[in-house]
Amino acid sequence: MNYTDTKISIQEAEKILFEQYNIKGTAHPLPGYEDYNFRIKVDNEDGYVLKISRQNVNKNAISFLRDILLYLEKNSEDLITPKIIADTKGDYISEVLDNDKNRRSVRLLTWISGRVWHEVNPRLNNLHFSLGETSGKITKTLQGFHHESIESDFDWDIAHSLWTKKHIHLFPKEEQEIVNYFQNRFENELSTYTRLRKSIVHNDVNDYNILVSDNLINPKVKAVIDYGDAMQTQIINDVGICCAYAIMGQNDSLEPALQIVSGYHSVFPLQEEELDHLYTIIAMRLIVSYTSALINLKKEPKNTYLQVSAKPASKALKKWFNISSDFAHYSFRVACGYTAHPDTEKFNRWASTYQFKVTELFPTAPSDEFHHIDLSVSSKWIGHQENFNDLDLFQFKIDRLQAEYPNKVLAGGYLEPRPIYTSTAYDKIGNNGSESRTIHLGIDFWFHANTPVHALFDGEVVTACNDAGDKEYGGLVILKHHLEDFEFYTLYGHNTVESATKHQIGDLIKKGEKIAELGNYPENGNWAPHLHFQVMMSMLDYEVDFPGVTYFKQLNVWKGLCPDPNLLFKSEALKNSNNITNDELIAYRKQHLGKSLNLQYKTPIKMVRGAGVYLMDQYAQKYLDTVNNVAHVGHEHFSVVKAGQEQMALINTNSRYLHDNINKLAKELIETLPPELNVLHFVNSGSEANELAIRMAKAYSGEKDIIASEVGYHGNTNMCVDISSYKFDGKGGQGAPEHTHIFPIPNAFRGKYRGENTADKYAEEVKQCIANIQSKGRNVAAFIIEPIISCGGQVELPQGFLPKAYKLIQEAGGICISDEVQTGCGRMGKTFWGFQLHNVVPDIVTIGKPLGNGHPVAAVACTKEVAEKFANGMEYFNTFGGNPVSCAIATEVLCVVKREKLQENAYEVGEFLKEELKKLSKEFPVIGDVRGQGLFLGIELVDNNLNPLAKQTDYLANRMKDHGILMSVDGPDYNVLKIKPPIVFNMENAKELLFYLKKILSEDFMTSTI
Ligand SMILES: Cc1ncc(COP(=O)(O)O)c(C=O)c1O
């Protein structure tokens, strides 16, 4: 009789449930390998799983399963495990006869609610750690469990995994080599492996056996179910199984595995010998799963499920193979709190007993004293990227420094986070976006080309080659040093090719002998001449290009593998100075800076460098900046920086003296504006610009009343706050002052009037404001609005609204102010200024943020008439406004916009982005609206009823930050993501942004909304 013939029907299952357990419930079949499983639903309870065996079942196995669950229930303190329920006779295993008179064993287990691991998205580090912890707890609890009828399922016991060898022909040809490699590795390690600790372990912590809590932001593993594969085997197998499933589908497989190992070890300490085998064990579990899938596929070649299920194991295996086994091993050790390399302590002890001199390494060095050179990301000495990439300039600076310290050796760099590795060879895509190698692992010694390098101790040549290429080592020598009970390596990079390659592998070099001579650029990898000197405890799998720089994330492993070379020299000058921690910075701010000065993000970031569309934190980790419209032409644009530096070196004084710069800037700005707007006043901030604009409007009209939009923001001064509904209607605000008149935000998506053709209705609201002012016997002084309301949530004004509103205001004798502090200077793409999108000419335009690319310079442009009326005899003096430095900077910003065609870029990239975001909104209905112009866009998140989704917006912004992408949230309901990057933001940046937006929008917290 085959399997399907003996199937149990739903009705039969429900009958068994009632007869054996006196429980009335509804049964729903579940997939099962050994048993027929039914999910039993009972009113108001989590319910049960009814497990009905096949005929001829192995009784021992069933009693083992009963006993392990009873044991866990009794002995675990904080583990959630399925509880086994006794039948009406008090038995945990019931015997029944099915409709065909077959004898069956029946068990009833409690149902544990939760999300199945397989369906959880994202599975982050915390969750992997929690998986490790839970699995560790199970193993810890099972330490006291023994059973006389314990059996090992040969196929699924990694200890027996070499059975897969006879199926090697089933694997695709190109994978056989990998499978063979791991099988041989396992076979070779058997003698130590078989001696590892054994215990009863769960042995099948796979994606479908793990239940995760319902918390969608910070979920934890709630329970591991299905003890059907529990067996007595090497404990490390259990860890390996957890890891094998968790690494599938990850870009960086090691990262989740390390979290699991760390979590496991925190509850059930793993031994160093066990970790020696973990890399191979993970691979062997993948091979076992993969082989089983291939065997089944052979039986049912058309089964698409089987075809699909083999793929993740295949991919994971290939990725695992590409990870250095030693690196994985050392990473596991660090995850468990051991030293990265088993011999690290021996090296440290040995190094502590010797005092090496730098004159032994460089006999031509001026002395044994050092002067530390700081090449870190925040180093002012290296300065701008354009500067440090100019090798002649770099060498000039080195020479100057050497002249300043003629008796010292210029050196430094161990574990320094550096910004100088700008080649893409230093980047990779990790599990959370792109990662760059920035942490320097050796010490650099800055000497001229041809300086001889000598051996500090005896060594054997293991590498002597030309590691050619930009930002590589050039002439490279690596020596291996054999000591009594350990070995280590030293690396000498950036030599002349000739001096490095004259060695043969295996050559012995005696202490004091010459190793090589320093090379010059480009042959030394294209650097200013220096020696990169590094100590390594292992060569890992590298033969040539051993990394001299690594990822911040892997710092703890690498610093164990590559000890500080200063352990040899013991120089105080080379010791890493202790930087102030972020916590210390926060604590000081809290104490001494105004409390209303907010910090961005749950975990604030310290930014120390900008470059184009990127910002870098103190670890030189890059963030793609989609927020900062202040760095208009790119962070620290070189020609803008230079313009400021050069002018600052000459003179900076106030505008009462004649100077070309103020006129030049005025001219540049006037060229971009309509002819009517041809008088300028220079100030220092957007607030100051608006403050002055309102003063002008008051002077022009002789009135005080201002009309502004709901949720508008115009600055932080008294007057500006008085006209900013965003502030006075927000937290801590006290409502509109007497002379401020607010009309509803002209938001056609979720405003007072929605949909098409709302311009007239919103203009009518402005008309009512005017009437209201006039009804008090006063008149309107000014109407102020942004062309796209930024703080209001990137709200575009309905077409036709602005001409109508301007007409009403001007007819009433008021002034129209276009606040272009956010929108101006080419960002709109189609037009240089925002008001030009609406075919209007304001009386005053205020300009701020983008004008100085980060430098505080702002301006007010107005008509002759307005300027004339303002100049009523009272002098307008501004200490800083219009100074030569600010004007030089602002002029250069405007020139860069033209020269680099950045308005065109804003148009092209902005249109692409908007189009793609609209496509995304079809796929993800949480995106209610996509709007804006050029590189000034907004994405509004709402539910089906247009209710704002502030938490989701916050989640999205924070998760994007986790992926190295900075986004800001705004709008009165905090549900609009703003995109307003430096306008050098290019197509590639846009695609990256879209890719990660899509990734995060697919995460459970985002998809659970609608
Ligand atoms: C539209 C608008 N106007 C004026 C200001 C004030 O500019 P600042 O912060 O330079 O004083 C801001 C600042 O965010 C703004 O967004």
Side-chain angles (χ1 to χ4, degrees), residues 693-964:
I694 299 292
R695 261 183 76 191
M696 286 176 160
K698 286 182 179 171
Y700 178 87
S701 63
E703 299 290 343
K704 291 184 184 157
D705 289 83
I706 313 291
I707 298 175
S709 163
E710 182 190 3
V711 216
Y713 176 66
H714 301 288
N716 59 27
T717 59
N718 271 310
M719 186 66 224
C720 288
V721 170
D722 276 357
I723 58 170
S724 297
S725 146
Y726 181 72
K727 287 285 165 196
F728 62 66
D729 286 333
K731 260 192 217 157
Q734 300 192 342
E738 169 65 22
H739 291 283
T740 300
H741 307 270
I742 295 299
F743 65 95
I745 183 165
N747 179 348
F749 178 60
R750 276 200 324 122
K752 183 169 175 186
Y753 309 112
R754 300 178 184 187
E756 307 278 306
N757 307 323
T758 55
D760 285 347
K761 291 178 187 146
Y762 284 113
E764 187 57 33
E765 295 281 348
V766 174
K767 195 172 175 187
Q768 275 174 30
C769 288
I770 300 172
N772 183 25
I773 297 169
Q774 289 171 343
S775 72
K776 295 181 181 174
R778 312 193 299 244
N779 209 342
V780 58
F783 168 78
I784 183 166
I785 196 163
E786 290 177 274
I788 294 180
I789 302 175
S790 175
C791 293
Q794 308 293 80
V795 172
E796 284 185 271
L797 305 182
Q799 271 305 326
F801 165 73
L802 217 47
K804 288 191 173 78
Y806 272 27
K807 190 158 178 273
L808 290 167
I809 298 292
Q810 282 162 345
E811 280 172 2
I815 288 282
C816 295
I817 305 170
S818 185
D819 181 338
E820 300 272 353
V821 169
Q822 297 259 6
T823 50
C825 300
R827 175 168 296 279
M828 296 292 102
K830 273 185 203 151
T831 57
F832 196 84
W833 301 104
F835 65 81
Q836 291 167 326
L837 293 166
H838 297 275
N839 283 324
V840 291
V841 178
D843 303 292
I844 300 179
V845 170
T846 54
I847 311 159
K849 295 179 193 289
L851 192 56
N853 213 47
H855 177 89
V857 50
V860 180
C862 66
T863 60
K864 270 241 148 46
E865 298 74 56
V866 172
E868 292 300 321
K869 285 248 172 101
F870 178 59
N872 63 1
M874 184 192 286
E875 189 200 10
Y876 178 75
F877 176 67
N878 191 318
T879 304
F880 302 116
N883 71 68
V885 170
S886 301
C887 290
I889 289 173
T891 305
E892 187 55 28
V893 170
L894 296 173
C895 290
V896 171
V897 172
K898 274 197 278 186
R899 200 165 61 232
E900 296 184 11
K901 299 200 178 345
L902 295 182
Q903 184 184 334
E904 292 82 341
N905 183 66
Y907 178 68
E908 217 176 291
V909 179
E911 286 290 303
F912 166 77
L913 203 48
K914 197 156 83 169
E915 212 39 53
E916 292 299 311
L917 287 168
K918 282 189 174 156
K919 284 186 202 157
L920 219 53
S921 73
K922 303 254 164 4
E923 204 176 327
F924 298 97
V926 278
I927 302 182
D929 197 27
V930 175
R931 53 185 179 243
Q933 289 295 326
L935 284 171
F936 200 68
L937 303 175
I939 309 170
E940 181 154 9
L941 302 192
V942 289
D943 69 11
N944 275 337
N945 301 316
L946 293 194
N947 294 314
L949 295 174
K951 282 190 184 143
Q952 282 74 2
T953 315
D954 179 60
Y955 176 90
L956 193 50
N958 274 289
R959 289 286 294 136
M960 290 297 278
K961 178 207 140 192
D962 294 345
H963 289 73

Side-chain angles (χ1 to χ4, degrees), residues 495-524:
N495 302 293
T496 64
V497 173
E498 193 200 343
S499 68
T501 54
K502 74 170 182 245
H503 299 289
Q504 301 294 317
I505 306 297
D507 279 359
L508 295 179
I509 293 193
K510 284 272 167 218
K511 177 180 165 73
E513 245 180 72
K514 189 165 116 181
I515 301 171
E517 284 173 13
L518 294 191
N520 207 341
Y521 51 86
E523 86 162 312
N524 69 350

Side-chain angles (χ1 to χ4, degrees), residues 625 627-635 821-822 827 848-856 893 980-982:
D625 183 0
V627 177
N628 207 328
N629 56 341
V630 176
H632 190 56
V633 296
H635 288 281
V821 169
Q822 297 259 6
R827 175 168 296 279
K849 295 179 193 289
L851 192 56
N853 213 47
H855 177 89
V893 170
K980 48 189 185 84

